[in-house]
């Protein structure tokens, strides 16, 4: 019924292999084990040694040699107080510790919602060590559709929620992708964000959410052709990191990016799938 040309199927299989390889990268999203806001007074945190704090503009870490912390960038031990500053939405793989090589756990410093937080990334996390690839639907050639990109005169910043209820986000909508799906008479409109080299990304809900897929997913396209069309391949729909970990601050879809359709293509919810 949904037989794909061999070349098309092969391209998708390469995409899936690269996606799984990227997820399995050392200290990637699958290794997240905590998300913690920093306090104004130096204090201990869970799953990492040292005393951590922030004055609102700078983060500080005070540690001794016995803590075994070293800077990720240089490998130098942290003895005394180390400081770092970030802009909002920036992250820094700051210090590391543990394991035979002293690098089992990396502590990421992050600025979210104009506040400093840390995330521990542990290479011993079962989510990482037991990862065998993201479950997916079978390839659906009928869910590779042509869409028309209708750019806005100027980008529009839309307030959104994120996977963390304490962190608000902004979706910079640059226009809409307009398309049809099999079995439906009406057009669908999804607001898109612009990525590198003019590529577009849409974050969307659909009727498989909470059933076989996570609460939302995203799919990217190439840069629109001169006539404004793009190929929207829902087989390349992927999960945000928050599908794998409760410690993500991933953006939710804008209000109108919900499809009254079951997009049974792309990645499934790794927590729900067999």
């Amino acid at each position: 019924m949904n037989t794909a040309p061999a070349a098309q199927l092969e391209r998708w299989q390469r995409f899936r292999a690269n996606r799984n390889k990227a997820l399995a990268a050392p200290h990637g999203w699958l290794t997240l084990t905590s998300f913690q806001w920093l306090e104004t007074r130096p204090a201990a945190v869970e799953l990492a040694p040292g005393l951590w704090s922030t004055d609102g503009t700078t983060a500080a870490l005070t540690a001794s040699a016995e803590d075994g912390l070293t800077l990720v960038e240089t490998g130098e031990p942290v003895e005394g107080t180390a400081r770092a500053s970030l802009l909002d939405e920036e992250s820094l793989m700051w210090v590391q510790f543990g394991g035979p090589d002293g690098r089992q756990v990396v502590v990421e410093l992050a600025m979210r919602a104009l506040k400093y937080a840390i995330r521990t990334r542990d290479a011993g996390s079962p989510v990482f060590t037991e990862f065998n690839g993201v479950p997916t639907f079978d390839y659906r050639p009928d869910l590779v559709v042509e869409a028309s990109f209708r750019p806005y005169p100027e980008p529009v910043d839309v307030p959104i929620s994120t996977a963390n209820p304490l962190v608000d986000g902004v979706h910079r909508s640059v226009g809409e992708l307009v398309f049809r799906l099999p079995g439906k008479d009406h057009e669908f409109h999804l607001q898109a964000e612009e990525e590198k080299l003019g590529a577009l990304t849409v974050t969307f809900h659909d009727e498989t959410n909470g059933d076989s897929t996570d609460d939302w997913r995203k799919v990217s396209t190439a840069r629109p052709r001169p006539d404004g069309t793009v190929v929207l391949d829902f087989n390349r729909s992927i999960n945000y990191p928050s599908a794998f970990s409760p410690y993500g601050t991933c953006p939710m879809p804008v209000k109108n990016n919900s499809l009254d359709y079951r997009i049974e293509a792309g990645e499934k919810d790794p927590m729900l799938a067999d």
Side-chain angles (χ1 to χ4, degrees):
M1 178 180 176
N2 290 315
T3 303
Q8 192 176 23
L9 184 59
E10 184 180 349
R11 286 194 296 271
W12 178 70
Q13 290 170 338
R14 286 200 303 268
F15 169 81
R16 291 302 323 153
N18 289 334
R19 164 71 170 160
N20 287 326
K21 183 178 179 181
L23 281 171
H27 297 112
W29 294 116
L30 301 183
T31 64
L32 290 180
T33 51
S34 73
F35 179 99
Q36 303 169 77
W37 299 108
L38 298 188
E39 304 292 340
T40 55
R41 295 183 180 180
V45 298
E46 296 181 1
L47 306 181
L51 298 176
W52 303 74
S53 63
T54 177
D55 61 6
T57 59
T58 302
L61 164 62
T62 300
S64 63
E66 290 73 22
D67 290 320
L69 289 161
T70 61
L71 296 173
V72 171
E73 186 175 353
T74 64
E76 296 177 8
V78 180
E79 298 182 33
T81 300
R83 292 181 171 82
S85 298
L86 299 175
L87 298 176
D88 198 32
E89 295 302 317
E90 286 188 336
S91 292
L92 169 68
M93 298 300 181
W94 196 12
V95 295
Q96 58 195 356
F97 69 94
D101 61 359
R103 296 184 292 181
Q104 176 176 324
V105 181
V106 167
V107 183
E108 170 197 3
L109 179 67
M111 173 74 90
R112 298 292 183 270
L114 299 175
K115 296 186 294 184
Y116 278 103
I118 60 167
R119 287 194 287 210
T120 48
R121 295 173 177 250
D122 189 344
S125 166
V127 178
F128 176 68
T129 58
E130 298 173 11
F131 178 66
N132 290 314
V134 187
T136 68
F137 292 98
D138 291 339
Y139 188 81
R140 288 278 300 273
D142 59 326
L143 290 180
V144 181
V145 299
E146 186 168 278
S148 175
F149 177 56
R150 299 178 183 175
Y152 297 147
E154 297 290 339
V156 178
D157 287 341
V158 182
I160 57 172
S161 299
T162 74
N164 185 319
L166 299 179
V167 178
D168 292 329
V170 173
H171 183 285
R172 174 153 286 191
S173 298
V174 296
E176 295 182 352
L177 288 176
V178 181
F179 56 95
R180 293 184 181 274
L181 290 169
K184 290 287 187 177
D185 294 331
H186 62 274
E187 289 184 332
F188 293 89
H189 295 244
L190 292 178
Q191 293 184 47
E193 290 185 289
E194 188 174 60
E195 307 295 345
K196 294 179 181 178
L197 304 177
L200 301 172
T201 293
V202 290
T203 302
F204 66 94
H205 292 294
D206 74 271
E207 293 184 349
T208 66
N209 296 163
D211 170 2
S212 49
T213 64
D214 192 36
D215 290 340
W216 65 90
R217 293 179 289 169
K218 67 176 178 177
V219 62
S220 298
T221 76
R223 181 176 182 173
R225 305 175 182 121
D227 65 357
T229 60
V230 297
V231 173
L232 185 57
D233 185 352
F234 283 103
N235 295 283
R236 298 193 177 211
S237 301
I238 63 172
N239 293 316
Y240 274 99
S242 53
F244 304 95
S245 165
Y247 307 115
T249 57
C250 306
M252 291 184 179
V254 294
K255 182 178 179 181
N256 295 325
N257 274 21
S258 295
L259 304 175
D260 58 337
Y261 197 91
R262 290 184 62 83
I263 300 293
E264 294 181 325
E267 292 185 350
K268 296 181 177 181
D269 186 339
M271 305 301 176
L272 293 178
D274 294 333

